[in-house]
Amino acid sequence: MMQESSYPGRYWHALPDGRIQCDLCPRDCRLHEGQRGACFVRMRQGEQMVLTTYGRSSGFCIDPIEKKPLNHFYPGSSVLSFGTAGCNLACKFCQNWDISKSRDMDRLMDQASPEAIASEALRHGCKSVAFTYNDPVIFAEYAMDVADACHARGVQTVAVTAGYMHDQPRRDFYAKMDAANVDLKAFTEAFYFKLTGSHLQPVLDTLVYLKRETDVWFEITTLLIPGHNDSDEEVTAMSQWILKELGADVPLHFSAFHPDHKMQDVPATPPATLVRARNMALEAGLHYVYTGNVHHIEGDTTYCPDCHAPLIVRDWYQIKQYRLAADGHCPDCGTAVNGRFAAQAGNFGRKRIPIAMHA
């Protein structure tokens, strides 16, 4: 059995009543000695906050970058993915609840230093390392140290996150990230409050911050849940907000829900719902809209926003055709396609390779 970490956490302050308050995310957990925050992994130990999962993971796996999903960040490349345990949201529909809701620290079977992770990514030829499975916001110190080790070796970093954090840690965290996929779970406060135990505005703040104040490449994912966030009105309102506040070139992924965790009575998302939402977002003016968790080649393909020629044709995570010029322009009309691209696509394909890593 591995010992919990007592790594000193950042982002907290002492309160006059003797408690300490976590300042990482808008939950603002106030803790007595020995108490844990809502995320379960940040704990008061003596007169400080500690991160109990520093250096410990629920497992490592090499994935295609498109699985994160990121379609405009070195397409076809491989990414070393890992997470820890816990989460600062309480989504009733969580698709990774066995990891994110885990309070069993014995599940964290892999131990790895930041340097070991960076070296392993390099050894396996991974273009990047992704903090995913659960939300890296709650293990920010570990993720940022891993990012430093990766950058020292020329490996890029990716955050897969719900974007629920306060301003100062947000600035520190994204200063270390090269790319992100942000979960915009819905576009109503009622959904966020009732189904995730959080609020919408901080997530919108993260998206606007990424666009206006950073060079981080980011894409957005929305899991469409029948009867909860898939109405024409909500999809249109969200698409219009993205266009106005973030611009037409931020890729948007609509993915399919499957019954899980505390929402097993809700049916799976019909593929037609994703296609309809994609068409509506395109009609609203967004340039790159994708469908996820379903087999839909049109919804996997990157098209030129001007002449609409297919530029990156995908079948699931397999790239079938890659026509982008080396400078990221359409070879037919010369229009620039926003993203981070290489002269050639990677050929990692649909593989998923679990790897063991021990300190």
Side-chain angles (χ1 to χ4, degrees):
M1 175 179 169
M2 292 182 185
Q3 293 296 310
E4 284 190 344
S5 162
S6 293
Y7 189 89
R10 296 162 66 178
Y11 314 114
W12 60 273
H13 70 276
L15 295 171
D17 65 5
R19 294 180 297 173
I20 65 173
Q21 177 173 314
C22 182
D23 299 323
L24 183 66
C25 90
R27 284 189 171 276
D28 296 332
C29 295
R30 298 171 175 87
L31 307 177
H32 293 288
E33 169 61 27
Q35 282 189 318
R36 297 171 183 266
C39 64
F40 191 67
V41 302
R42 306 181 78 81
M43 182 174 77
R44 176 172 177 174
Q45 193 174 84
E47 295 306 310
Q48 67 171 351
M49 178 82 70
V50 300
L51 174 57
T52 61
T53 53
Y54 189 100
R56 303 177 61 194
S57 169
S58 54
F60 291 83
C61 190
I62 302 174
D63 292 317
I65 191 67
E66 286 82 3
K67 196 172 182 180
K68 297 303 97 188
L70 287 170
N71 280 1
H72 292 232
F73 187 74
Y74 303 107
S77 65
S78 59
V79 55
L80 177 61
S81 303
F82 78 96
T84 61
C87 190
N88 60 335
L89 269 62
C91 300
K92 294 182 178 179
F93 49 88
C94 183
Q95 314 277 286
N96 282 328
W97 64 269
D98 54 329
I99 295 171
S100 65
K101 301 303 171 204
S102 175
R103 298 198 166 194
D104 179 5
M105 291 296 160
D106 294 340
R107 289 181 60 89
L108 302 186
M109 297 306 296
D110 260 335
Q111 252 181 317
S113 69
E115 291 73 22
I117 294 169
S119 296
E120 198 73 1
L122 206 57
R123 187 169 76 85
H124 286 279
C126 296
K127 179 75 178 174
S128 55
V129 166
F131 313 109
T132 180
Y133 306 139
N134 69 321
D135 202 305
V137 165
I138 65 167
F139 61 93
E141 297 88 348
Y142 185 31
M144 290 190 291
D145 286 352
V146 172
D148 285 341
C150 286
H151 291 149
R153 291 163 175 78
V155 177
Q156 307 230 346
T157 52
V158 174
V160 181
T161 175
Y164 199 61
M165 62 195 309
H166 275 316
D167 181 64
Q168 188 56 55
R170 179 191 290 138
R171 292 174 183 278
D172 296 344
F173 182 78
Y174 284 109
K176 312 277 190 184
M177 299 298 140
D178 297 294
N181 186 289
V182 179
D183 235 352
L184 181 54
K185 295 178 183 289
F187 203 63
T188 64
E189 170 63 15
F191 180 102
Y192 264 86
F193 185 72
K194 293 175 184 174
L195 295 182
T196 77
S198 65
H199 300 285
L200 171 61
Q201 191 59 48
V203 182
L204 301 182
D205 292 345
T206 292
L207 290 167
V208 170
Y209 169 75
L210 286 170
K211 178 63 179 181
R212 297 182 185 174
E213 299 190 48
T214 78
D215 292 323
V216 176
W217 176 256
F218 71 99
E219 305 184 18
I220 298 170
T221 296
T222 298
L223 184 77
L224 290 181
I225 305 175
H228 290 277
N229 66 350
D230 64 339
S231 70
D232 290 4
E233 295 76 18
E234 186 166 346
V235 169
T236 298
M238 183 174 75
S239 301
Q240 290 172 343
W241 181 88
I242 292 171
L243 181 68
K244 177 174 180 283
E245 299 294 338
L246 309 178
D249 289 328
V250 174
L252 172 60
H253 303 255
F254 289 114
S255 61
F257 163 87
H258 61 264
D260 215 333
H261 196 37
K262 297 178 179 177
M263 290 183 70
Q264 310 226 8
D265 55 339
V266 177
T269 311
T273 297
L274 302 184
V275 174
R276 173 177 56 83
R278 176 176 178 270
N279 289 337
M280 291 172 63
L282 290 169
E283 287 166 11
L286 300 186
H287 288 164
Y288 312 109
V289 189
Y290 300 98
T291 53
N293 295 354
V294 294
H295 190 229
H296 180 224
I297 291 177
E298 183 180 346
D300 285 339
T301 296
T302 300
Y303 295 90
C304 174
D306 195 24
C307 74
H308 307 295
L311 300 178
I312 309 173
V313 180
R314 302 176 183 86
D315 186 353
W316 289 109
Y317 308 124
Q318 188 90 36
I319 292 179
K320 297 294 190 182
Q321 188 178 19
Y322 187 81
R323 297 183 60 242
L324 270 185
D327 59 0
H329 286 68
C330 172
D332 297 341
C333 71
T335 298
V337 176
N338 281 36
R340 307 284 184 267
F341 301 109
Q344 293 180 310
N347 60 358
F348 186 73
R350 293 178 60 180
K351 297 187 288 289
R352 181 179 186 274
I353 306 172
I355 60 172
M357 189 164 352
H358 302 287

